[in-house]
Amino acid sequence: MKVITAIERMNAAAPHNDPALQDQEIESIVIDSREVRAGDVFFALSQPDYANNGFNGEFEDATKYVVHSIEKGAAACVVRNDRFEEYRAELEPYVDRLVLVSDTIRALQDLARSVYLDWGGPVVAITGSAGKTTAKELTAHVIKGAGLRVLKNKKNFNNGLGHPLTVLELAKDDNYDIAVLEMGMSTPMHEIARLCTITPPDVSVVLNVLPVHIEHLGSIENIAKAKAEIVEGMKSGGTAILNADDPRVREMRELSKGDVLTFGIDLRSDVMAENIRTRSFGETTFDLRTPNGVANAVLPLDGRHNIMNALAAAAVAWVRGMVVDEISEHLSSAAAPSQRGEVLRFREGFTVINDSYNSNPAALVSMVETMIVGGGSAKRKILAAGEMLELGDDGPEMHRRTGGQIAKIGVDRLIGIRGLAKELVEGAAEAGLTDVVFVEDSEAAAEIIVNELSDGDLLLVKGSRGVRTERIVEKLVDKFHLVGDASPQARRHDH
């Protein structure tokens, strides 16, 4: 794409832009000045852009890095009109490289929409309070098995910045057959609806509605409405794929402008898992039932929540024309995304389940149940559980109640980490678990665990991202030896 094309598609102003530069091909779109290379276009984001587009918190004004980006060879920099006025003295000498807009994030999204329209391929959009990234990875993996080239978000780039940046990859390479994109939200600002205007889904998947981000949304009913935007934003004649076991998701069928396909375990659904068996960590088997057949599936992931993610992926694959034997075959070769149920076995004789990417009460209980079922021969079953964030006013009670559930499930030791995890520990102690401890941060937890973990132990590490429970795993990897690794430093984790 040429600079002049991008200016036109963003409906931007570039009154002083160098005509020769306007004809220049854009190498990449970047929002981090440290990544700018010659020929790139740098979007200088600032606090008003973030605030207007549903981002919580205070952010640095990137306008201060415009001159540096130009000196590094940026073909152009996209700047807010008001920020240009504020930095006029500094930016005036470089006006021939500036593109002025009213909102840099909206401009980025408008540019991404135009690239999507040029491409015109089918979009699978996935949302839910938990499991989006794993479901996206499983879906992309399975449908690749049909010979399709799949565009997907890197990591969990599922918001108003990560989503358009993913779509803009199509400007460099439009030979993708299909896009599988997770869509997230954390505020009442209709974030998913906006993402659907960039790439209207042909298939909309809703995994679940849980009390995540309730601090910002106010109620679980509001969370459900926000998630339902992915169904409302679907193309006419598309397919909504809905979790039948979640009543709030099930009700979204009334919003579909096309077909509805359900998946589930408990209630009769179009795509189901039956006869579920957990043989060992990293191997769950079940009978995968689709509208046109049944096949045995072996899923190399643990927990009921991951079975649901696999069923969502299977439903998408079925909509795309794959048969049940083909779907089950490709599910069996999937792998856990980093920090989402990774099973790490150490030569010193203990095993660690690294599920430290995120946490909520339902997912925590599900993983603890998985640990108990799959770790029957373990000497001790230890849980390192971080504070669960953004649960709103009910957070303390939810932690305490979850602690009680954990104690009844049967862990041997609980280490609660930071903040409201103290309530988790107290709830477990009240329910009869005697071996409990609370620590202020993940570094303190790592110190305890590194010094006490021994042969035969099984450790589950689970926590919200802000608690950084992955530091526990990093310490273990540094000190001990993973099975198959030559040295403790041979493997580090992607954050």
Side-chain angles (χ1 to χ4, degrees), residues 102-119:
S102 59
D103 184 311
T104 57
I105 294 179
R106 288 299 174 99
L108 182 74
Q109 294 172 350
D110 290 343
L111 185 60
R113 174 167 170 75
S114 74
V115 169
Y116 156 75
L117 290 173
D118 285 345
W119 172 63

mmCIF file of all heavy atoms in Angstrom, residues 102-119:
data_model
loop_
_atom_site.group_PDB
_atom_site.id
_atom_site.type_symbol
_atom_site.label_atom_id
_atom_site.label_comp_id
_atom_site.label_asym_id
_atom_site.label_seq_id
_atom_site.Cartn_x
_atom_site.Cartn_y
_atom_site.Cartn_z
ATOM 1 N N SER A 102 -8.124 13.053 13.536
ATOM 2 C CA SER A 102 -8.777 13.440 14.784
ATOM 3 C C SER A 102 -8.568 12.402 15.887
ATOM 4 O O SER A 102 -8.648 12.726 17.078
ATOM 5 C CB SER A 102 -10.272 13.656 14.555
ATOM 6 O OG SER A 102 -10.867 12.469 14.062
ATOM 7 N N ASP A 103 -8.305 11.127 15.512
ATOM 8 C CA ASP A 103 -8.132 10.044 16.482
ATOM 9 C C ASP A 103 -7.247 8.989 15.826
ATOM 10 O O ASP A 103 -7.646 8.371 14.831
ATOM 11 C CB ASP A 103 -9.496 9.462 16.866
ATOM 12 C CG ASP A 103 -9.422 8.393 17.945
ATOM 13 O OD1 ASP A 103 -8.604 7.477 17.817
ATOM 14 O OD2 ASP A 103 -10.205 8.469 18.911
ATOM 15 N N THR A 104 -6.057 8.777 16.355
ATOM 16 C CA THR A 104 -5.112 7.881 15.673
ATOM 17 C C THR A 104 -5.560 6.423 15.719
ATOM 18 O O THR A 104 -5.314 5.662 14.776
ATOM 19 C CB THR A 104 -3.703 7.997 16.289
ATOM 20 O OG1 THR A 104 -3.759 7.709 17.681
ATOM 21 C CG2 THR A 104 -3.130 9.387 16.074
ATOM 22 N N ILE A 105 -6.210 6.002 16.818
ATOM 23 C CA ILE A 105 -6.661 4.606 16.877
ATOM 24 C C ILE A 105 -7.803 4.378 15.892
ATOM 25 O O ILE A 105 -7.831 3.357 15.179
ATOM 26 C CB ILE A 105 -7.066 4.230 18.313
ATOM 27 C CG1 ILE A 105 -5.835 4.244 19.221
ATOM 28 C CG2 ILE A 105 -7.729 2.852 18.346
ATOM 29 C CD1 ILE A 105 -6.101 3.905 20.682
ATOM 30 N N ARG A 106 -8.736 5.318 15.813
ATOM 31 C CA ARG A 106 -9.815 5.182 14.831
ATOM 32 C C ARG A 106 -9.254 5.186 13.408
ATOM 33 O O ARG A 106 -9.738 4.459 12.528
ATOM 34 C CB ARG A 106 -10.835 6.314 15.007
ATOM 35 C CG ARG A 106 -11.694 6.175 16.251
ATOM 36 C CD ARG A 106 -12.523 4.896 16.213
ATOM 37 N NE ARG A 106 -13.257 4.673 17.447
ATOM 38 C CZ ARG A 106 -14.530 4.966 17.619
ATOM 39 N NH1 ARG A 106 -15.213 5.525 16.638
ATOM 40 N NH2 ARG A 106 -15.131 4.709 18.761
ATOM 41 N N ALA A 107 -8.240 6.010 13.163
ATOM 42 C CA ALA A 107 -7.616 6.040 11.830
ATOM 43 C C ALA A 107 -6.990 4.693 11.504
ATOM 44 O O ALA A 107 -7.109 4.185 10.381
ATOM 45 C CB ALA A 107 -6.568 7.147 11.779
ATOM 46 N N LEU A 108 -6.328 4.097 12.497
ATOM 47 C CA LEU A 108 -5.732 2.769 12.313
ATOM 48 C C LEU A 108 -6.810 1.742 11.994
ATOM 49 O O LEU A 108 -6.647 0.896 11.097
ATOM 50 C CB LEU A 108 -4.982 2.380 13.586
ATOM 51 C CG LEU A 108 -4.238 1.045 13.589
ATOM 52 C CD1 LEU A 108 -2.981 1.141 12.742
ATOM 53 C CD2 LEU A 108 -3.885 0.627 15.015
ATOM 54 N N GLN A 109 -7.925 1.824 12.699
ATOM 55 C CA GLN A 109 -9.022 0.884 12.471
ATOM 56 C C GLN A 109 -9.665 1.089 11.104
ATOM 57 O O GLN A 109 -10.009 0.119 10.414
ATOM 58 C CB GLN A 109 -10.049 1.030 13.591
ATOM 59 C CG GLN A 109 -9.521 0.604 14.953
ATOM 60 C CD GLN A 109 -10.460 0.927 16.092
ATOM 61 O OE1 GLN A 109 -11.457 1.641 15.907
ATOM 62 N NE2 GLN A 109 -10.182 0.418 17.280
ATOM 63 N N ASP A 110 -9.819 2.333 10.692
ATOM 64 C CA ASP A 110 -10.389 2.612 9.369
ATOM 65 C C ASP A 110 -9.485 2.070 8.268
ATOM 66 O O ASP A 110 -9.962 1.533 7.251
ATOM 67 C CB ASP A 110 -10.584 4.120 9.178
ATOM 68 C CG ASP A 110 -11.703 4.679 10.047
ATOM 69 O OD1 ASP A 110 -12.529 3.886 10.535
ATOM 70 O OD2 ASP A 110 -11.748 5.914 10.226
ATOM 71 N N LEU A 111 -8.184 2.204 8.464
ATOM 72 C CA LEU A 111 -7.237 1.680 7.480
ATOM 73 C C LEU A 111 -7.339 0.157 7.415
ATOM 74 O O LEU A 111 -7.337 -0.432 6.326
ATOM 75 C CB LEU A 111 -5.826 2.115 7.856
ATOM 76 C CG LEU A 111 -4.712 1.755 6.872
ATOM 77 C CD1 LEU A 111 -4.968 2.389 5.506
ATOM 78 C CD2 LEU A 111 -3.357 2.192 7.421
ATOM 79 N N ALA A 112 -7.446 -0.479 8.586
ATOM 80 C CA ALA A 112 -7.574 -1.936 8.621
ATOM 81 C C ALA A 112 -8.850 -2.393 7.937
ATOM 82 O O ALA A 112 -8.847 -3.395 7.201
ATOM 83 C CB ALA A 112 -7.545 -2.423 10.069
ATOM 84 N N ARG A 113 -9.944 -1.691 8.152
ATOM 85 C CA ARG A 113 -11.201 -2.059 7.494
ATOM 86 C C ARG A 113 -11.059 -2.013 5.978
ATOM 87 O O ARG A 113 -11.544 -2.902 5.270
ATOM 88 C CB ARG A 113 -12.339 -1.149 7.947
ATOM 89 C CG ARG A 113 -13.630 -1.410 7.165
ATOM 90 C CD ARG A 113 -14.851 -0.771 7.763
ATOM 91 N NE ARG A 113 -15.989 -0.867 6.852
ATOM 92 C CZ ARG A 113 -16.681 -1.983 6.633
ATOM 93 N NH1 ARG A 113 -16.356 -3.104 7.247
ATOM 94 N NH2 ARG A 113 -17.705 -1.999 5.797
ATOM 95 N N SER A 114 -10.385 -0.997 5.468
ATOM 96 C CA SER A 114 -10.224 -0.893 4.011
ATOM 97 C C SER A 114 -9.390 -2.052 3.466
ATOM 98 O O SER A 114 -9.664 -2.566 2.382
ATOM 99 C CB SER A 114 -9.576 0.446 3.647
ATOM 100 O OG SER A 114 -8.192 0.473 3.968
ATOM 101 N N VAL A 115 -8.397 -2.477 4.237
ATOM 102 C CA VAL A 115 -7.569 -3.613 3.813
ATOM 103 C C VAL A 115 -8.391 -4.902 3.838
ATOM 104 O O VAL A 115 -8.291 -5.742 2.935
ATOM 105 C CB VAL A 115 -6.323 -3.720 4.724
ATOM 106 C CG1 VAL A 115 -5.598 -5.039 4.492
ATOM 107 C CG2 VAL A 115 -5.393 -2.540 4.466
ATOM 108 N N TYR A 116 -9.215 -5.062 4.886
ATOM 109 C CA TYR A 116 -10.109 -6.226 4.940
ATOM 110 C C TYR A 116 -11.039 -6.251 3.721
ATOM 111 O O TYR A 116 -11.248 -7.307 3.106
ATOM 112 C CB TYR A 116 -10.927 -6.203 6.227
ATOM 113 C CG TYR A 116 -12.216 -6.985 6.125
ATOM 114 C CD1 TYR A 116 -12.220 -8.379 6.152
ATOM 115 C CD2 TYR A 116 -13.433 -6.316 5.949
ATOM 116 C CE1 TYR A 116 -13.399 -9.088 6.020
ATOM 117 C CE2 TYR A 116 -14.615 -7.027 5.823
ATOM 118 C CZ TYR A 116 -14.601 -8.403 5.851
ATOM 119 O OH TYR A 116 -15.769 -9.118 5.705
ATOM 120 N N LEU A 117 -11.618 -5.101 3.362
ATOM 121 C CA LEU A 117 -12.542 -5.051 2.227
ATOM 122 C C LEU A 117 -11.829 -5.412 0.926
ATOM 123 O O LEU A 117 -12.421 -6.070 0.057
ATOM 124 C CB LEU A 117 -13.173 -3.659 2.125
ATOM 125 C CG LEU A 117 -14.163 -3.300 3.245
ATOM 126 C CD1 LEU A 117 -14.578 -1.841 3.140
ATOM 127 C CD2 LEU A 117 -15.383 -4.213 3.197
ATOM 128 N N ASP A 118 -10.588 -5.011 0.779
ATOM 129 C CA ASP A 118 -9.811 -5.398 -0.412
ATOM 130 C C ASP A 118 -9.632 -6.905 -0.469
ATOM 131 O O ASP A 118 -9.701 -7.524 -1.537
ATOM 132 C CB ASP A 118 -8.435 -4.730 -0.394
ATOM 133 C CG ASP A 118 -8.482 -3.257 -0.752
ATOM 134 O OD1 ASP A 118 -9.512 -2.803 -1.278
ATOM 135 O OD2 ASP A 118 -7.481 -2.564 -0.504
ATOM 136 N N TRP A 119 -9.362 -7.498 0.692
ATOM 137 C CA TRP A 119 -9.115 -8.943 0.760
ATOM 138 C C TRP A 119 -10.406 -9.720 0.555
ATOM 139 O O TRP A 119 -10.485 -10.614 -0.303
ATOM 140 C CB TRP A 119 -8.473 -9.269 2.101
ATOM 141 C CG TRP A 119 -8.320 -10.718 2.415
ATOM 142 C CD1 TRP A 119 -7.560 -11.630 1.738
ATOM 143 C CD2 TRP A 119 -8.940 -11.436 3.493
ATOM 144 N NE1 TRP A 119 -7.662 -12.862 2.340
ATOM 145 C CE2 TRP A 119 -8.499 -12.776 3.409
ATOM 146 C CE3 TRP A 119 -9.810 -11.069 4.519
ATOM 147 C CZ2 TRP A 119 -8.918 -13.743 4.327
ATOM 148 C CZ3 TRP A 119 -10.215 -12.023 5.437
ATOM 149 C CH2 TRP A 119 -9.775 -13.349 5.332
#
